[in-house]
Structure formats: C-alpha cells, structure tokens
Amino acid sequence: MSARTLPLLFLNLGGEMLYILDQRLRAQSIPGEKARKDEWTDVDRKRVMNDIIGTMFNRKFMEELFKPQELYSKKALRTVYERLAHASIMRLNQASMDKLYDLMTMAFKYQVLLCPRPRDILLVTFNHLDAIKDFIYESPGILNQVDETFRQLIETYNCLSDGEFQLIRQTLLVFFQDMHIRVSIFLKDKVQNSNGRFVLPISGPVPWGTEVPGLIRIFNHKGVEVKRTEFTTAGNYVTPQREGSFELYGDRVLKLGTNMYSVSRPVETHMAGSSKNLASHAKENTVPNPLAKEELNFLARLLGGLDIQKPAGGETGFRLNLFTSDEEEEHAAQTRPEDLSYKVINIEATQEPGRRAELSRILGELEVAEPRPGSAGKGEDLLALMDGL
C-alpha cells in the first residue's frame, strides 16, 4: 500500500462533498428579501462554503495530512467529513450525512476507475481544487490556503514515478472495492449496473504517451523493425491532442473531477443487494488498531482546535436536507442498515509511550481554543465518535 495516498483521497472526496453541498444549498436557497429567519439565502450558502473550505485547508491540518502514512478506515474517514460538514451553521441529520458520504465515495471511485493512466489521478485532484477556488474567489485569505495546498501537491507528487502512481491507484481501489452503492445519475447515464458496479467504456482517448491499439510491430535482435501486423479492435480509440497541465494554473484537459452537479439533477442513492454485505465489513475494526486510533485522535484534535464558526447568540444552525422531502429523509434513516450507523463506543486508548509522547509534543504546539464555560471543548464530539473506531 502507498503511504502517499491519503492526501489525494481526502482532497478529492472533500471536493465531491463541496459540489454536493453547493448544489443542495442553491436548490434550497430563497432570495434574501423573501426568506424567513429559518430559510437559506445565498449569503448563507457562501458563508457555509467559506467556513467548510477554510476548515478543510487549515495549514496545520494539511501539514499533518501530507506526512507519509497509511489510509484510515472507512468509518474514521467518514467521521472526519462529518466534522467538516458541520464546521459551519449548516446541520445534517444522520440520513442526509449517510447519503452525502455515499455520493462522495461513489463519484470518486468512478473517477479513479476511469483515469486513463495512474498519474492522471493528480489531474482529477487539480480539477477538484480548481472548482473549490471558484467557490471562494471572493475570500482571498481562504483562496491563499487552497493555493498553498496546490503547491504542496505539486511539490509532493509531480516528482513521483509512474510506478508510484500505480501503487497509489491500487491503494485507492482497495479502499473502494466493497462499496457498490447505486447512484441515480450513474444509473440514468448507464455507467452503473443495478448491482452498483460500474460499466467501463471500451472506447475514447488512450492515455497520453501511448498509441491507439491496432498495430503489432516485430523487431529483430538488433532492435530493427522487421514486420508489422494490424488487427481490428472492439473500441473506437483516439489519440489525445495534448497532455493536461500539472501546474498551478492551466488546462487540465481531463474532465474527470469536474462538477457533475453544475446542472441541477435529482440524485438518489440506494444500497445494492451485494452491498448489504457491508454489514460484515463495517465490523472490520471491532478490535481497533491502537496506533491507528492515536493517529485518528490527533486528527480529531487538529480539527477540533480550528477556529470554526458557531451560531452566535440566538442564531440556530440551518438544517440541510439532501433528500427531496423530510418524509423521504426520515424513511432513509429508518431503513438504513443498523451496522452502517456510527455509534459511540468508549474504549481505552493505547498506552504506547513513544507514540503518545510524540503526539503530546505536537499537540502541545497547537493553539487549541479553550471551551466556553459550561460547554465541552470543540473537538470533544468528534473524539467521542472516534473512540468507537
């Protein structure tokens, strides 16, 4: 498994989360002069996007994320996104959060499967970051945070070999291999079967630097071509005109990772029959890895220590529904397989002295906000959830 996969997984899933939230916030927003106190406006939407993106691209969090490390479990990663989704005045209930995470993971899984070559996963990431920058173009401070992450990606990944990118792609596919959730957009476009598995095309552009299949060349021992044989292929392949840009600005050419929700379309998710086996996979961490738990707690502290906007005074958080109606959301919550819920289980943390001492040293350097009198620390809710991992 590649120890360089986590930043790409986190940023791409985060980009998909922002696409979905932006689409739903736009769909439910009311013009400011007509909106009641409990209804969304475009000002609220921009505030939510700024808060979440500012939290997601916090410098200290990004520094920790980019350190070589193994991937976290599915439940652990989902917990981090739940914390991010609530880093603003927006509130999601359990069913909507489940649906949000399902859409995020299946969209990025499809993009990884369709990448013409492993290195193009980086172009997919750049497409997500380009779109994120469009969300916060009016906030230069947050925009600078995203650009810093952009530069860190270029510095970390542009120098990697094709073999290292192949290992990253395999690590991502292993992470997604048991997830077969049906998504209405994919089903309607016939790129996903009723069992939740994707249909991969046999036509289209070949990877940059390769030739259209259909020709076999035979060389002698001196490296001189002595014979050519042509054959017919089942697909209709074309050669790409140019390679996508791996710089801070430029044409990515590849469209994977762009916002597929820019045109309003209803999106539904359904658990495929074969995916009901996830009940067993959800138990994969019944006996947690103590070292992994310490790392997750560290990430939780990083998130918990950020300056996250909270509803002020009598202001209440706005609820966002990812379903078409409240009744549909309530039904989804009732029918969700119990084993896919993320319950709170308190367990004792590892006592490994070396790791705990190192984490204590790092945590001591962070500026963690002090809790208000009578309230829990900002990170306590996420820490409690992570205790069950």
Side-chain angles (χ1 to χ4, degrees), residues 86-276:
H86 293 102
S88 175
I89 57 173
M90 182 186 68
R91 294 294 173 263
L92 297 170
N93 72 12
Q94 186 69 41
S96 284
M97 188 64 218
D98 287 342
K99 180 175 180 179
L100 174 62
Y101 191 67
D102 289 345
L103 291 171
M104 291 159 50
T105 52
M106 295 308 290
F108 184 45
K109 177 181 179 179
Y110 184 56
Q111 293 158 16
V112 173
L113 288 171
L114 257 62
C115 272
R117 55 179 181 166
R119 184 175 294 274
D120 289 335
I121 292 173
L122 193 54
L123 291 178
V124 175
T125 310
F126 288 171
N127 275 335
H128 279 114
L129 293 191
D130 286 340
I132 289 172
K133 289 168 66 174
D134 288 338
F135 289 141
I136 40 93
Y137 69 93
E138 296 177 337
S139 304
I142 305 175
L143 193 61
N144 184 60
Q145 290 178 242
V146 180
D147 279 342
E148 283 301 314
T149 300
F150 232 127
R151 295 184 184 97
Q152 203 166 358
L153 279 168
I154 293 171
E155 180 182 346
T156 303
Y157 291 96
N158 272 9
C159 61
L160 296 186
S161 67
D162 291 336
E164 288 172 305
F165 272 106
Q166 174 65 11
L167 186 57
I168 288 173
R169 182 175 184 272
Q170 290 298 323
T171 305
L172 289 170
L173 292 176
V174 168
F175 180 84
F176 289 124
Q177 67 179 348
D178 297 320
M179 306 178 75
H180 307 295
I181 300 165
R182 293 175 293 168
V183 178
S184 62
I185 286 181
F186 296 140
L187 292 170
K188 289 174 183 176
D189 292 344
K190 300 187 184 303
V191 298
Q192 191 179 31
N193 291 325
S194 59
N195 62 3
R197 297 183 183 275
F198 287 110
V199 180
L200 301 182
I202 58 171
S203 298
V206 297
W208 175 259
T210 63
E211 298 181 8
V212 172
L215 177 65
I216 299 174
R217 293 203 273 280
I218 301 175
F219 298 83
N220 62 17
H221 66 284
K222 295 181 180 180
V224 178
E225 182 180 331
V226 296
K227 184 180 179 181
R228 288 191 175 197
T229 303
E230 294 185 357
F231 64 93
T232 304
T233 61
N236 181 22
Y237 300 100
V238 295
T239 303
Q241 295 182 347
R242 62 190 183 281
E243 185 180 24
S245 171
F246 288 88
E247 302 302 322
L248 182 60
Y249 303 102
D251 183 5
R252 312 301 174 195
V253 179
L254 192 70
K255 299 304 179 185
L256 296 173
T258 55
N259 191 352
M260 67 177 178
Y261 306 98
S262 55
V263 177
S264 181
R265 303 168 69 178
V267 184
E268 303 298 331
T269 58
H270 306 279
M271 295 296 293
S274 60
S275 291
K276 293 177 181 176

Side-chain angles (χ1 to χ4, degrees), residues 297-312:
N297 281 344
F298 177 47
L299 275 182
R301 292 287 182 86
L302 279 175
L303 284 173
L306 301 180
D307 184 15
I308 295 173
Q309 297 292 327
K310 294 290 184 181

